Amino acid sequence: RLILALGRFAGQFLFDKPLPLTQLRKNIHHYQNIPFIVSYHPAYLLRNPKDKKKAYEDLVRAKGFLNENEKRAG
Protein backbone atom coordinates (compact mmCIF):
# COMPACT_ATOMS: atom_id res chain seq x y z
CA ARG A 1 0.00 0.00 0.00
CA LEU A 2 1.11 3.50 -0.81
CA ILE A 3 -0.64 6.83 -1.05
CA LEU A 4 0.51 9.09 -3.87
CA ALA A 5 -0.42 12.63 -2.83
CA LEU A 6 -0.58 14.94 -5.83
CA GLY A 7 0.15 18.54 -5.00
CA ARG A 8 1.37 20.60 -2.08
CA PHE A 9 -2.02 20.87 -0.38
CA ALA A 10 -2.57 17.11 -0.41
CA GLY A 11 0.90 16.56 0.97
CA GLN A 12 0.47 19.19 3.66
CA PHE A 13 -2.83 17.68 4.73
CA LEU A 14 -1.37 14.19 5.10
CA PHE A 15 1.86 15.42 6.71
CA ASP A 16 -0.08 17.87 8.92
CA LYS A 17 2.52 20.63 8.49
CA PRO A 18 2.67 23.59 6.07
CA LEU A 19 5.89 22.57 4.32
CA PRO A 20 6.76 23.54 0.73
CA LEU A 21 6.52 20.86 -1.93
CA THR A 22 10.31 20.75 -2.27
CA GLN A 23 10.55 19.49 1.31
CA LEU A 24 7.60 17.10 1.00
CA ARG A 25 8.98 15.43 -2.11
CA LYS A 26 11.89 12.98 -2.12
CA ASN A 27 10.92 11.37 1.18
CA ILE A 28 8.51 8.67 2.19
CA HIS A 29 6.19 9.89 4.93
CA HIS A 30 3.46 8.08 6.87
CA TYR A 31 -0.19 8.90 7.44
CA GLN A 32 -1.93 6.63 9.94
CA ASN A 33 0.82 4.03 9.37
CA ILE A 34 0.31 4.13 5.59
CA PRO A 35 3.33 5.33 3.60
CA PHE A 36 2.85 8.21 1.20
CA ILE A 37 4.88 10.05 -1.40
CA VAL A 38 4.16 13.61 -2.51
CA SER A 39 4.52 14.68 -6.12
CA TYR A 40 3.37 17.47 -8.40
CA HIS A 41 -0.29 18.05 -9.17
CA PRO A 42 -1.17 17.41 -12.84
CA ALA A 43 -2.52 20.95 -13.28
CA TYR A 44 0.82 22.34 -12.09
CA LEU A 45 2.64 20.16 -14.62
CA LEU A 46 0.46 21.52 -17.43
CA ARG A 47 1.58 25.03 -16.49
CA ASN A 48 5.20 24.02 -15.79
CA PRO A 49 6.21 21.21 -18.15
CA LYS A 50 9.87 21.59 -17.14
CA ASP A 51 9.02 19.79 -13.87
CA LYS A 52 7.62 16.69 -15.59
CA LYS A 53 10.98 14.95 -15.23
CA LYS A 54 10.83 15.43 -11.45
CA ALA A 55 7.28 14.05 -11.38
CA TYR A 56 8.45 11.05 -13.39
CA GLU A 57 11.23 10.46 -10.86
CA ASP A 58 8.62 10.53 -8.08
CA LEU A 59 6.57 7.88 -9.91
CA VAL A 60 9.66 5.72 -10.38
CA ARG A 61 10.35 6.04 -6.64
CA ALA A 62 6.77 5.01 -5.87
CA LYS A 63 7.03 1.99 -8.18
CA GLY A 64 10.32 0.97 -6.57
CA PHE A 65 8.78 1.23 -3.13
CA LEU A 66 5.84 -0.94 -4.16
CA ASN A 67 8.12 -3.50 -5.82
CA GLU A 68 10.28 -3.74 -2.67
CA ASN A 69 7.22 -4.30 -0.48
CA GLU A 70 5.90 -6.92 -2.88
CA LYS A 71 9.21 -8.81 -2.67
CA ARG A 72 9.13 -8.69 1.14
CA ALA A 73 5.56 -9.94 1.25
CA GLY A 74 6.63 -12.59 -1.20
Side-chain angles (χ1 to χ4, degrees):
R1 295 188 325 173
L2 176 72
I3 297 171
L4 179 61
L6 297 178
R8 179 173 49 95
F9 292 115
Q12 288 176 344
F13 173 80
L14 294 174
F15 196 66
D16 199 25
K17 288 186 183 175
L19 296 174
L21 186 63
T22 55
Q23 289 183 357
L24 291 169
R25 287 183 62 245
K26 300 184 182 178
N27 293 310
I28 296 175
H29 309 282
H30 288 83
Y31 175 75
Q32 298 182 356
N33 294 324
I34 300 171
F36 73 92
I37 292 176
V38 183
S39 188
Y40 294 95
H41 191 280
Y44 171 85
L45 294 172
L46 288 174
R47 295 186 307 269
N48 300 279
K50 63 179 174 36
D51 286 327
K52 286 183 181 181
K53 182 178 179 183
K54 294 177 188 176
Y56 177 77
E57 292 167 355
D58 294 339
L59 295 176
V60 169
R61 186 178 314 106
K63 182 180 177 183
F65 178 86
L66 292 171
N67 287 341
E68 276 297 313
N69 283 346
E70 186 176 312
K71 287 179 188 176
R72 288 184 197 153

